Amino acid sequence: MKKKFSLEEIMDLTDTWLVQGDLNIDMLADNFQFISPFWSSNTRQAFIDKFKHSTVYQETALKNIVKFDPVIKFKSLDGAAFSIILQYHTKNGSSVYEAVLGRVANGLLYELRSIYDLEATKKAHGL
């Protein structure tokens, strides 16, 4: 039986993945789906392969980021969703705002949607 996480735990684990690249796969539901303009849509296994079993996220995104400021977390009143709004600043002097929306059921994250300006992101990372 899978461990169940509180909404706050899932928010914190998602925040850790976003800013440090450390992904806790135990929080992901079997039907997990990730949606992102740059990283495309990913099933649970594709997401794990991309963000846990490789260093592509660290080498493509995190290595260029010098700081995250601010990072703001919100949770829905019903405890079934959350958002993390953040701005990050890169080595080339650019900054990007990003919103990450998560949906939770039965103590597991089943959807994560990242929203940002793709062209601003590519510029910030020199892509």
Side-chain angles (χ1 to χ4, degrees):
M1 185 168 139
K2 283 190 166 197
K3 176 184 176 182
K4 295 190 178 198
F5 296 84
S6 70
L7 181 66
E8 290 79 10
E9 288 174 316
I10 291 174
M11 287 173 63
D12 289 342
L13 290 169
T14 302
D15 182 7
T16 298
W17 167 67
L18 285 168
V19 302
Q20 297 174 15
D22 184 17
L23 176 62
N24 181 329
I25 62 173
D26 294 334
M27 72 172 166
L28 304 177
D30 290 339
N31 63 338
F32 173 78
Q33 182 73 29
F34 178 61
I35 300 104
S36 165
F38 182 79
W39 299 101
S40 304
S41 293
N42 292 271
T43 63
R44 182 182 194 276
Q45 191 57 53
F47 184 76
I48 291 169
D49 290 346
K50 190 176 292 178
F51 295 103
K52 179 72 173 178
H53 298 311
S54 84
T55 58
V56 67
Y57 179 58
Q58 290 85 348
E59 293 170 4
T60 303
L62 291 181
K63 78 172 187 174
N64 295 317
I65 296 172
V66 294
K67 72 176 180 171
F68 290 86
D69 181 42
V71 176
I72 305 166
K73 299 177 190 177
F74 299 97
K75 60 183 176 178
S76 65
L77 295 176
D78 65 2
F82 67 91
S83 62
I84 301 173
I85 313 301
L86 56 87
Q87 181 181 34
Y88 61 83
H89 307 270
T90 60
K91 293 176 182 176
N92 69 8
S94 296
S95 60
V96 175
Y97 283 99
E98 182 172 350
V100 177
L101 309 175
R103 299 188 63 180
V104 177
N106 299 317
L108 295 170
L109 181 64
Y110 73 89
E111 182 180 283
L112 196 60
R113 185 176 299 263
S114 186
I115 303 166
Y116 48 84
D117 181 316
L118 182 56
E119 290 309 311
T121 299
K122 287 179 179 179
K123 178 184 171 200
H125 292 287
L127 301 174

